Amino acid sequence: MTKDLVILAEDLMKVYQMGQVEVNALAGVSLSIERGEVVAIMGPSGSGKSTLMNILGCLDLPTSGRYVLDGEVVETLNDDQLANIRNRKVGFIFQSFNLLSRTTALANVELPLRYAGKIPDRRERARAALESVGLGDRISHRPTELSGGQQQRVAIARALINNPAIIMADEPTGNLDSKVGKEILDLLLALNRDKGTTLIIVTHDPVIATQTQRIIRLRDGLVEEKK
Amino acid sequence: MNIGQSMLEALETLNGNKLRSGLTILGIVIGVGAVIAMLAIGQGAQNTITGAISGIGTNLLFVSSGNQVQDVRNPKPLTLSDAQAITDPFAAPDVLAVAPIIQGSGDVTADGQTMRVSVTGTTPVYFVMQNYSLIEGDFLTQDNLQGNASAVVIGPGVADKLFSRRNGVVGETIRINGQPFHIVGLLQSKGGGMFGSQDNQVIVPFTTAQTRLIHRSVLNEVDELYVQAASARAVPFATDEVKQILRQRHRTPVGVDDFSVFSQADFLTIATTVTGVFTIFLGGIAGISLLVGGIGIMNIMLVSVTERTREIGLRKALGARKRDILIQFLIESSMLSLIGGVIGILLGWFLGFIVGRIAAASGNPFNPAISLNAILLATLFSAAVGLFFGIYPANRAASLEPVEALRYE
C-alpha cells in the first residue's frame, strides 16, 4: 500500500443504551482518509455524523471496530492516552467557537500546549499561530472583544498549534454569516494547500461540501460514499 | 501544566466572579478569624494566669484549712500557734519564714472617695515573701504589729482612685470601714493576681485586722499561712515538714489531713490544665464556623463545575487529562481557602487586639497572644479544608465525559 493513510476505520459500531432501547448510532462504518485530503462528512440529523466525528476525534471510543489514527491504534486506549492523542494529533474547530471567555486570544491558543507537557517557546508559537490566521494585532484581546469571524480564527489557530495530524471542524461556519463563513472556509482550505493539513469538515451546507475533494455521506449509521 | 501558571489561572477565574468568590472567602475568613482570635484569647488568659502565679515566687507554699481532695469532718482552723510551730527551725529546717494571712474586704474612704478593696492582715515578713516593692514610704514593721497600730500599706490602684496621684500619699489618713488608718507605704504596681488585681488592696498589721476589721470565730484564727521554703529545691521537704507538724498539732487520723498545702508548681499545673481545656473549648467552637466555611467552598465549587461543564469538555477535547482537571479545580478551592485563611489570620489578630484593649480598659490587663503555632495551624487547616471540600467537586469535574460535557448547554 503506497497511500499514506492518516485515518483507517474498519466496521465502526457505536451502540447507545437509551433506557430499554439500544440505538445503533453507527452500524459498521468503514472509511479511510489520506494525508492532505479535505473531506466533508454530510448527512441528515440522526445519521450518526456527530458520533462518527466524536470517534474520529478520539473524544469517544467505538463499541466495536478498528480505528487507526496516524499510526496509533485508538480503540484500546484508556482515558489519559486518548487525551494525549487528542492533544497531539487532533485539532478541533467547533460551531460555537468554544473559546475561554476569561482569557486572551493568546492564552486560548496556548492552551493545548499547556496540556502537552513542557514546551519552552509556547508563547512564541501561539503568537505565530495567531499571525498565521491574520490576528497578529489581536493577541491580547478577549473573545468578547472579537467578532464571530475573529473568534473562529482564534479557534483555528488553537487547532493548529500542535501541528495535528487531522483537523476536525464541526459546522465551522454554522454561526457565521455567509461572507465571513466563506472567509473562514477559505482560510481552512488555504491551510490545507500550504501546510498539507488533513481537514475533515462536518457540515449540512452543500456549498461547503462541494469545495472539498470528497464527500462522505452518512445515512442511518452507514456510509454511502461517492467520489 | 506547571503549578505557578495554574495558580494564576485560578486567580483569574476567581476574579471573574468577584462577588461569589468574595462571599465564599468571607466564610473562611470568619472561620479562621474566629479560630485565631479564640486561640489567642485562650493563650493570653493562660499567659496572664500562669504569669501571675509565677510572680508569687517559686519557693512559696500555701497552707489552708480543709482538704480539697477528701471529705474531712470538722476540720480545725489554722491558728497563729500553728504558724508559730512551723517557724520552729528544728521541726522544720527547710522553712525560712511563715506569714499568717487574714483576709476580708472593706470600704476605704478618703477625700470623699469610696472604694471597695480587699483587706489583708499579715506580718512584715509577708512583704519580703511577695517580693513587693514600694513607690514611697515603708512596709509594715514589727512595731506596727506589736502595737496594734492603725497603719496601712496601700496598693497603687487605691491611691489612684482615692487621691488621683501616686506621690505624697504617705502620711495621709484613710478610713477602712469607718476606722482611721495612717498610710505608711505605697506599693509598686504588680498587675493582676489570681483573685483580682493586687493593686486594689490594703495591707494592715495582722493584730489590727484581727481585732478591728476582720472577725473570726476562733481565737487567733488565720485564713492562710504563706510558708517560704529555704530554696526552690527545698519546697518538697518543706511541704513534708509543714504537713508533719500540722498533723501532730491537729491530731488528724492517718491519711486524712484537715488542711491543704499547695505549692506554686501545683497552682501552675492546675491553671495550665484549666486554661488549656478552656482554649481547646473556644477553639473547637470556632472550628465549627471554619467547617461551615468549608461547606461553603464545596457548595460554590459544585456550582462552578456545573456552570463550566462546557469549558471542562473543551479542555478535555484539547488534551487535558483527568488529573489536569482535578488539579485545576483543587487549586481553585485551595486558593479560596488560602486567601480566606490569610485574611482570617489578620482578622483574628485584630479581634484579639480589640479584646486586649477592652480588657485593658476594664482594668484587667490581658494580652491575647497569637502564637506562630496558631498561625501555622490555621493556615494548614484552612488549606486542608479547601482541599478536602474541593475533592468531591473537582473529582466530579474530572470524571465528566468529554462528549457529554461539550454537548452540555
Side-chain angles (χ1 to χ4, degrees), chain B residues 50-172:
Chain B
T50 54
I53 294 173
S54 303
I56 56 188
T58 47
N59 49 354
L60 282 189
L61 296 176
F62 307 89
V63 186
S64 57
S65 178
N67 189 321
Q68 252 103 67
V69 187
Q70 279 171 282
D71 198 21
V72 186
R73 274 192 294 167
N74 300 326
K76 281 188 190 134
L78 295 167
T79 61
L80 272 184
S81 7
D82 287 331
Q84 203 61 47
I86 293 169
T87 43
D88 179 357
F90 295 104
D94 292 300
V95 171
L96 203 65
V98 178
I101 309 282
I102 187 165
Q103 217 151 18
S105 57
D107 293 318
V108 291
T109 321
D111 286 358
Q113 299 282 334
T114 302
M115 168 179 202
R116 189 139 189 99
V117 296
S118 84
V119 180
T120 304
T122 187
T123 56
V125 70
Y126 175 75
F127 296 95
V128 185
M129 279 185 191
Q130 290 280 54
N131 273 325
Y132 279 123
S133 45
L134 289 160
I135 294 176
E136 60 178 11
D138 286 304
F139 296 124
L140 297 172
T141 61
Q142 206 60 34
D143 286 346
N144 293 147
L145 188 68
Q146 278 157 2
N148 233 349
S150 301
V152 62
V153 172
I154 65 171
V158 182
D160 290 346
K161 176 84 198 267
L162 297 184
F163 302 104
S164 310
R165 58 187 152 94
R166 285 188 181 181
N167 49 48
V169 300
V170 167
E172 297 275 358

Side-chain angles (χ1 to χ4, degrees), chain B residues 56-331:
Chain B
I56 56 188
T58 47
N59 49 354
L60 282 189
L61 296 176
F62 307 89
V63 186
S64 57
S65 178
N67 189 321
Q68 252 103 67
V69 187
Q70 279 171 282
D71 198 21
V72 186
R73 274 192 294 167
N74 300 326
K76 281 188 190 134
L78 295 167
T79 61
L80 272 184
S81 7
D82 287 331
Q84 203 61 47
I86 293 169
T87 43
D88 179 357
F90 295 104
D94 292 300
V95 171
L96 203 65
V98 178
I101 309 282
I102 187 165
Q103 217 151 18
S105 57
D107 293 318
V108 291
T109 321
D111 286 358
Q113 299 282 334
T114 302
M115 168 179 202
R116 189 139 189 99
V117 296
S118 84
V119 180
T120 304
T122 187
T123 56
V125 70
Y126 175 75
F127 296 95
V128 185
M129 279 185 191
Q130 290 280 54
N131 273 325
Y132 279 123
S133 45
L134 289 160
I135 294 176
E136 60 178 11
D138 286 304
F139 296 124
L140 297 172
T141 61
Q142 206 60 34
D143 286 346
N144 293 147
L145 188 68
Q146 278 157 2
N148 233 349
S150 301
V152 62
V153 172
I154 65 171
V158 182
D160 290 346
K161 176 84 198 267
L162 297 184
F163 302 104
S164 310
R165 58 187 152 94
R166 285 188 181 181
N167 49 48
V169 300
V170 167
E172 297 275 358
T173 302
I174 58 171
R175 286 179 180 273
I176 306 175
N177 289 349
Q179 304 182 47
F181 280 81
H182 282 293
I183 297 174
V184 297
L186 173 59
L187 294 176
Q188 199 75 260
S189 177
K190 248 194 154 182
M194 253 182 303
F195 312 106
S197 173
Q198 291 192 36
D199 291 351
N200 292 338
Q201 64 167 345
V202 299
I203 302 170
V204 297
F206 185 86
T207 46
T208 317
Q210 198 185 21
T211 50
R212 287 167 50 190
L213 290 173
I214 304 161
H215 300 287
R216 292 285 181 259
S217 48
V218 176
L219 180 69
N220 286 338
E221 179 177 349
V222 304
D223 294 343
E224 259 190 306
L225 294 176
Y226 280 25
V227 178
Q228 187 177 21
S231 65
R233 197 173 290 179
V235 165
F237 308 120
T239 309
D240 285 345
E241 290 156 14
V242 168
K243 282 182 172 173
Q244 206 52 50
I245 293 166
L246 289 178
R247 274 174 201 145
Q248 257 174 24
R249 293 181 52 83
H250 290 196
R251 297 201 181 83
T252 57
V254 178
V256 195
D257 295 340
D258 66 350
F259 57 88
S260 311
V261 182
F262 277 106
S263 69
Q264 181 220 27
D266 296 330
F267 280 123
L268 262 186
T269 314
I270 294 168
T272 312
T273 314
V274 170
T275 52
V277 170
F278 173 69
T279 307
I280 291 170
F281 171 71
L282 286 179
I285 288 179
I288 292 173
S289 57
L290 189 50
L291 188 74
V292 173
I295 293 170
I297 287 192
M298 182 152 164
N299 202 357
I300 221 63
M301 290 309 292
L302 281 173
V303 171
S304 172
V305 167
T306 309
E307 268 185 5
R308 286 152 70 194
T309 303
R310 266 183 90 89
E311 176 193 326
I312 295 162
L314 171 75
R315 286 176 183 272
K316 288 199 151 188
L318 297 183
R321 288 159 300 172
K322 220 176 150 160
R323 211 182 53 184
D324 295 318
I325 303 290
L326 192 75
I327 290 174
Q328 182 193 345
F329 279 87
L330 280 185
I331 287 179

